[in-house]
């Protein structure tokens, strides 16, 4: 019975972590900044998905270094949180099955 308590506690922790990863993902800016070279000129676009479709939104010829940095960091954080979220979902599934089979 002590193991069941540990598994239940671990499940609660995993659910809490999953929720915090989802909230962190929601706070990040949507899309990523893309630089395209067209006829020798560079242009910046915001690349994002809306309703399953990929959209490019023109941002201009010049974009501030802060904006470029912000989207670069957001891209890295998004990848990190998605990986952690995937791992926590797998752990939650495993723990729920373990608790179900332990009855």
């Amino acid at each position: 019975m002590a193991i069941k308590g540990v598994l239940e506690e671990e499940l609660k922790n995993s659910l809490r972590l999953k929720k915090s990863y989802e909230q962190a993902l929601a706070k990040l800016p949507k899309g990523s900044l893309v630089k395209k070279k067209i006829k020798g000129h560079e242009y910046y676009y915001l690349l994002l998905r809306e309703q399953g479709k990929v959209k490019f939104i023109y941002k201009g010829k010049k974009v501030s270094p802060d904006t470029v940095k912000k989207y670069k960091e957001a891209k890295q954080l998004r990848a990190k949180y998605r990986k952690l979220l995937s791992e926590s979902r797998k752990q939650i599934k495993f723990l729920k099955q373990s608790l179900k089979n332990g009855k």
Side-chain angles (χ1 to χ4, degrees):
M1 284 309 223
I3 293 174
K4 185 178 179 184
V6 171
L7 289 175
E8 287 172 346
E9 188 64 34
E10 191 60 33
L11 179 60
K12 286 180 190 175
N13 289 337
S14 295
L15 289 168
R16 184 180 44 78
L17 283 173
K18 178 182 171 256
K19 186 176 179 179
S20 70
Y21 297 148
E22 289 169 342
Q23 289 172 344
L25 272 171
K27 289 179 185 176
L28 293 174
K30 302 289 182 222
S32 60
L33 204 59
V34 178
K35 184 175 17 174
K36 288 187 170 190
K37 196 167 190 173
I38 303 170
K39 295 183 182 178
H41 299 283
E42 292 181 344
Y43 301 94
Y44 286 92
Y45 291 85
L46 182 61
L47 172 70
L48 46 85
R49 286 185 185 270
E50 286 183 356
Q51 300 169 351
K53 294 184 180 180
V54 176
K55 286 197 174 190
F56 288 92
I57 300 170
Y58 179 70
K59 297 305 267 181
K61 281 188 172 189
K62 301 258 189 230
V63 176
S64 72
D66 289 341
T67 303
V68 173
K69 184 180 177 186
K70 178 178 90 170
Y71 278 100
K72 191 175 186 177
E73 289 173 354
K75 185 177 180 180
Q76 292 170 342
L77 285 173
R78 192 176 299 112
K80 173 186 165 187
Y81 286 129
R82 283 182 177 160
K83 184 174 187 252
L84 291 169
L85 190 57
S86 173
E87 290 171 0
S88 67
R89 284 181 178 145
K90 288 176 188 173
Q91 186 167 355
I92 288 167
K93 184 178 177 182
F94 171 77
L95 290 168
K96 283 183 177 180
Q97 285 180 334
S98 297
L99 285 168
K100 183 180 172 186
N101 293 336
K103 287 185 179 179

